[in-house]
């Protein structure tokens, strides 16, 4: 049997593979400290679960509109207006199977063979793969730790060609945790407008910020930027709802309509009662978000202090998400070897930088309990000492 060529263009998600290996070792009874997870370790807040249960009891178990429940689209539009300064109505929003599928749908709706999509590295593993699945060409722009792993306006300008269709912006970033300051966002918006390209802003970590940092959505910079912006977001990270599979894309109505047509043939609506949980997440009390953020903030400080005290490792102090991007280059070991040995020898799971498009780095997720963090950092320290 011959599979379609597009299958050969993509590789399975390496982050999911390492998480799976760590889970399998745990199941075997091994005492694994996992820093590989890309999801909050908290349970979904009770009032959100209650709303979904109530929706089930009320018979919200049938097909709904492909673009999402009108009440959820409306709630999302109001959120984007109130919190992000983006003037959207319900028609500007499509509810998708997680933020991941909003990005996939966007690539399908926007990208043609030969279109170039600019992706700064390190990047979230799925961006280049989605572009390839849509027959587009990912244009990877490497960044360095000197710029905080952020693309500069000059780099963006230089990467743009007549074939450029889209720029992928992710702040706060997975895998680095870095955020673009409002000034940096404004400078990038200027380039986007000048070159008249699209930008998709993946804002899934917008609520997980530290040290008083603020998040600016690129679409709120100017009317010209607004016209070229698509916002991807979801409930997974802010409300600890990863398994619910509810996300959304917001932007100009023709794009949202195109995505809706594609989605109507691909998945139809997102699980109906899960959408009612999402409505409760937006309309209900927000203190659960702050409680989780404070827990992340505490762990972040501990983990930064510990890493900085290990000779041979360096890291910045990223202002968002729940990741630390650690520079392991002094050990002179490929990142994949580092992560495999650390897992095999010390039962500590991390993700190699190579899966995010940079060498000499590893991603540490601190979406895990403090006990695991303390034990895991002890083991990491012993591991690095043995190799340096
Ligand atoms: C987790 C994540 C998403 C989307 O996750 P969903 O579970 O599909 O909502 C999107 N972008 C980044 C960078 C992520 O880390």
């Amino acid at each position: 049997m011959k599979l379609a060529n597009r299958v050969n263009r993509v590789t399975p998600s390496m982050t999911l593979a390492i998480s799976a290996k760590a889970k399998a070792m745990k199941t075997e009874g091994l005492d694994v400290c996992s820093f590989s997870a890309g999801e909050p370790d908290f349970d979904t807040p009770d009032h959100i679960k209650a709303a979904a249960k109530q929706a089930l009891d009320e018979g919200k178990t049938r097909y709904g509109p492909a673009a999402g429940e009108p009440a959820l689209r409306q709630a999302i539009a109001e959120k984007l207006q109130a919190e992000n300064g983006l003037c959207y109505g319900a028609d500007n929003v499509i509810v998708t199977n997680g933020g991941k599928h909003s990005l996939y749908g966007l690539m399908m709706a926007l990208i043609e063979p030969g279109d170039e999509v600019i992706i700064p590295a390190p990047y979230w593993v799925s961006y280049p793969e989605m572009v390839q699945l849509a027959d587009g060409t990912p244009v990877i722009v490497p960044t360095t730790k000197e710029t905080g792993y952020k693309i500069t306006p000059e780099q963006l300008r230089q990467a743009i060609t007549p074939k450029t269709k889209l720029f992928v912006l992710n702040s706060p970033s997975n895998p680095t945790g870095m955020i673009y300051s409002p000034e940096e966002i404004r400078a990038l918006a200027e380039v986007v407008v000048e070159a008249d390209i699209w930008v998709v802003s993946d804002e899934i970590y917008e609520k997980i910020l530290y040290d008083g940092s603020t998040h600016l959505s690129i679409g709120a910079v100017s009317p010209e930027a607004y016209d070229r912006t698509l916002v991807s977001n979801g409930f997974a990270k802010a409300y600890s709802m990863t398994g619910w599979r509810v996300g959304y894309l917001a932007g100009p109505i023709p794009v949202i309509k195109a995505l809706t047509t594609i989605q109507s043939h691909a998945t139809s609506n997102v699980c109906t009662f899960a959408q009612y949980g999402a409505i409760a997440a937006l309309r209900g009390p927000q203190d659960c978000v702050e409680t989780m953020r404070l827990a992340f903030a505490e762990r972040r400080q501990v983990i930064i202090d510990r890493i900085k005290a290990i000779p041979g490792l360096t890291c910045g102090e990223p202002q968002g998400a729940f990741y630390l991007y650690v520079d392991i280059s002094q050990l002179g070991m490929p990142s994949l070897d580092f992560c495999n040995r650390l897992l095999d020898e010390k039962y500590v799971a991390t993700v190699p930088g190579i899966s995010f498009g940079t060498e000499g780095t590893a991603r540490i997720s601190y979406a895990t309990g403090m006990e695991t963090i303390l034990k895991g950092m002890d083991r990491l320290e012993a591991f690095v000492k043995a190799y340096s």
Side-chain angles (χ1 to χ4, degrees):
M1 183 187 56
K2 186 186 174 299
L3 294 174
N5 264 334
R6 80 177 64 84
V7 179
N8 302 322
R9 273 183 250 146
V10 294
T11 43
S13 164
M14 210 185 289
T15 48
L16 292 183
I18 295 203
S19 290
K21 182 174 170 187
K23 267 182 196 159
M25 288 169 69
K26 255 185 200 166
T27 311
E28 276 175 44
L30 298 172
D31 177 24
V32 175
C33 295
S34 185
F35 299 96
S36 63
E39 61 178 329
D41 53 317
F42 304 106
D43 198 9
T44 302
D46 283 338
H47 70 281
I48 297 174
K49 289 196 281 189
K53 286 180 199 164
Q54 189 187 334
L56 264 177
D57 289 340
E58 288 172 355
K60 304 251 170 42
T61 55
R62 298 182 175 274
Y63 289 139
E69 291 293 301
L72 178 54
R73 294 173 77 195
Q74 181 61 32
I76 292 167
E78 286 174 27
K79 174 255 182 261
L80 290 166
Q81 288 212 21
E83 295 182 1
N84 305 103
L86 296 164
C87 187
Y88 291 134
D91 288 350
N92 295 100
V93 176
I94 178 174
V95 180
T96 58
N97 285 277
K100 187 174 265 182
H101 207 256
S102 82
L103 294 160
Y104 182 78
L106 174 65
M107 298 307 170
M108 288 295 150
L110 210 60
I111 301 306
E112 291 186 285
D115 282 349
E116 294 179 354
V117 179
I118 296 175
I119 303 171
Y123 47 71
W124 186 48
V125 290
S126 296
Y127 298 142
E129 309 288 11
M130 287 173 177
V131 172
Q132 309 242 47
L133 284 171
D135 296 326
T137 307
V139 174
I140 308 297
V141 179
T143 67
T144 60
K145 70 174 173 183
E146 283 69 38
T147 62
Y149 298 110
K150 291 183 272 191
I151 190 171
T152 64
E154 293 71 37
Q155 282 183 305
L156 178 58
R157 199 173 277 121
Q158 277 170 14
I160 292 171
T161 75
K163 289 181 176 170
T164 305
K165 187 77 166 272
L166 177 70
F167 164 48
V168 180
L169 178 64
N170 174 217
S171 178
S173 151
N174 177 6
T176 69
M178 293 295 183
I179 66 167
Y180 288 80
S181 70
E183 295 71 42
E184 289 166 336
I185 294 284
R186 284 190 199 100
L188 290 173
E190 220 170 274
V191 181
V192 165
V193 170
E194 191 183 282
D196 193 18
I197 59 173
W198 290 97
V199 55
V200 60
S201 182
D202 182 348
E203 307 187 354
I204 195 100
Y205 295 101
E206 64 164 341
K207 288 186 186 289
I208 309 178
L209 297 171
Y210 310 106
D211 299 342
S213 304
T214 52
H215 165 79
L216 174 64
S217 180
I218 191 164
V221 167
S222 67
E224 293 75 24
Y226 170 87
D227 288 342
R228 292 164 178 80
T229 297
L230 298 139
V231 178
S232 174
N233 205 331
F235 297 83
K237 310 293 161 55
Y239 297 97
S240 211
M241 291 170 67
T242 45
W244 291 61
R245 311 311 303 134
V246 192
Y248 54 90
L249 191 85
I253 290 174
V255 181
I256 300 305
K257 276 195 174 151
L259 243 83
T260 305
T261 303
I262 293 171
Q263 180 154 293
S264 74
H265 294 297
T267 62
S268 297
N269 62 283
V270 171
C271 170
T272 305
F273 48 89
Q275 292 188 62
Y276 283 85
I279 294 171
L282 289 179
R283 300 267 190 221
Q286 300 299 305
D287 50 319
C288 53
V289 178
E290 180 62 4
T291 305
M292 291 189 268
R293 192 193 68 82
L294 287 172
F296 288 136
E298 195 187 343
R299 300 161 177 186
R300 167 180 172 270
Q301 204 51 59
V302 170
I303 219 159
I304 286 176
D305 292 346
R306 289 294 306 263
I307 298 278
K308 287 198 162 166
I310 300 176
L313 300 184
T314 56
C315 69
E317 298 200 4
Q319 303 291 302
F322 37 69
Y323 307 107
L324 204 58
Y325 213 52
V326 180
D327 188 326
I328 59 163
S329 58
Q330 286 179 50
L331 301 179
M333 216 188 276
S335 61
L336 192 56
D337 288 359
F338 173 88
C339 294
N340 272 323
R341 285 184 205 171
L342 184 59
L343 183 55
D344 292 339
E345 293 171 23
K346 297 285 181 190
Y347 303 159
V348 172
T350 56
V351 185
I354 190 68
S355 51
F356 309 107
T358 60
E359 254 311 343
T361 49
R363 188 192 76 176
I364 292 187
S365 160
Y366 48 90
T368 186
M370 196 63 93
E371 200 187 318
T372 302
I373 288 175
L374 295 175
K375 190 160 60 175
M377 288 301 112
D378 286 345
R379 293 184 191 177
L380 174 64
E381 185 165 10
F383 177 84
V384 173
K385 266 194 187 137
Y387 277 98
S388 50

